[in-house]
Amino acid sequence: MFDEIYRRLCGHPITTVDITAVLKIILTSYFSEKENILHTGLKDRIFADTDGPGLTIEAASAFVPNIAERRPAIIIRRGEWKNVQEGFYGGAIQDASINTYVRMIAGSHNIICIGKTPGETEILGDEVFRLFAHITPKLLTNSCLDTFRVAGLSEVKPLHEGRDHYAAMIQVMYRFHETWEIEIEPITTTTSEPVTTTTIEPTTTTPEP
């Protein structure tokens, strides 16, 4: 699992889709084995991506008709991303031999646990909350994220779908750095007036696995 997470989060610029994919990898891996599950009332809620009974785990942006309304479910929804400027001059790294820049991205994802009853939703939310709290140290060791934390677990609230269900939300927050280079090359035009072109090449810092 962590090899796949490392490939998604290191060696290239991290996208919102990458974070969603990593959260899904963690959830599907955990809920695929009943021995992992702490609450006895959830041990028969094994992840299944086909028709029939089981736990649905999917991104909010994905629509799979045959499992769209199957409950219980865990839905992964992206939250807000913010650009955090580093230093001066647009994040320029002053001692770099070339034009290198850095910025920090601060983002969040919301993990929504949906159950058929308030009790089922309560224990499903608690299970997911503890999973991400416990896995945080390993996730930081095996990824290029600077920080990752579980912000909290919401109260259980009614969710009006085709049938009445209930939902609780776990928010996770994270930060990571992104660096890039801007190469400016002089060009001579037919009028002999110097102009410049700009080539932007993203770079990443990949830690040892």
Side-chain angles (χ1 to χ4, degrees), residues 6 24 28 38 72 101 137 143 150 161 202 206:
Y6 186 85
K24 184 177 178 181
T28 54
L38 299 176
Y101 301 84
S143 74
V150 183
E161 300 182 299
T206 305

Side-chain angles (χ1 to χ4, degrees), residues 27-37 46-47 57:
L27 287 164
T28 54
S29 176
Y30 181 83
F31 282 100
S32 292
E33 299 291 339
K34 67 179 181 181
E35 290 78 11
N36 295 333
I37 300 172
I46 301 301
F47 165 68
I57 301 174

Side-chain angles (χ1 to χ4, degrees), residues 88-93 99-103 178-182 203:
F88 300 99
Y89 307 108
I93 300 177
N99 296 313
T100 306
Y101 301 84
V102 62
R103 67 171 180 170
E178 182 175 86
T179 62
W180 69 98
E181 299 171 1
I182 300 178
T203 60

Side-chain angles (χ1 to χ4, degrees), residues 17-166:
V17 175
D18 289 322
I19 299 292
T20 300
V22 164
L23 297 178
K24 184 177 178 181
I25 290 168
I26 294 171
L27 287 164
T28 54
S29 176
Y30 181 83
F31 282 100
S32 292
E33 299 291 339
K34 67 179 181 181
E35 290 78 11
N36 295 333
I37 300 172
L38 299 176
H39 289 283
T40 56
L42 292 176
K43 287 187 178 292
D44 61 343
R45 301 292 194 266
I46 301 301
F47 165 68
D49 58 359
T50 57
D51 287 330
L55 177 65
T56 298
I57 301 174
E58 193 52 83
S61 57
F63 177 70
V64 184
N66 61 320
I67 62 173
E69 295 185 359
R70 191 172 65 189
R71 301 293 181 258
I74 300 173
I75 307 299
I76 306 163
R77 186 178 68 196
R78 182 179 70 82
E80 185 178 22
W81 275 32
K82 293 182 179 180
N83 180 57
V84 182
Q85 187 64 60
E86 295 284 310
F88 300 99
Y89 307 108
I93 300 177
Q94 298 300 307
D95 296 332
S97 58
I98 55 178
N99 296 313
T100 306
Y101 301 84
V102 62
R103 67 171 180 170
M104 176 179 284
I105 302 295
S108 67
H109 267 64
N110 301 312
I111 303 167
I112 305 165
C113 299
I114 305 173
K116 297 178 182 179
T117 67
E120 182 179 59
T121 306
E122 187 72 59
I123 61 175
L124 181 58
D126 181 74
E127 191 85 25
V128 174
F129 175 76
R130 291 174 184 272
L131 165 61
F132 281 104
H134 293 172
I135 206 172
T136 293
K138 281 290 187 180
L139 179 59
L140 290 173
T141 302
N142 292 275
S143 74
C144 295
L145 298 177
D146 294 321
T147 66
F148 182 92
R149 70 182 183 91
V150 183
L153 170 63
S154 76
E155 63 180 307
V156 175
K157 295 182 178 180
L159 180 66
H160 302 293
E161 300 182 299
R163 297 180 179 179
D164 286 345
H165 294 128
Y166 300 85

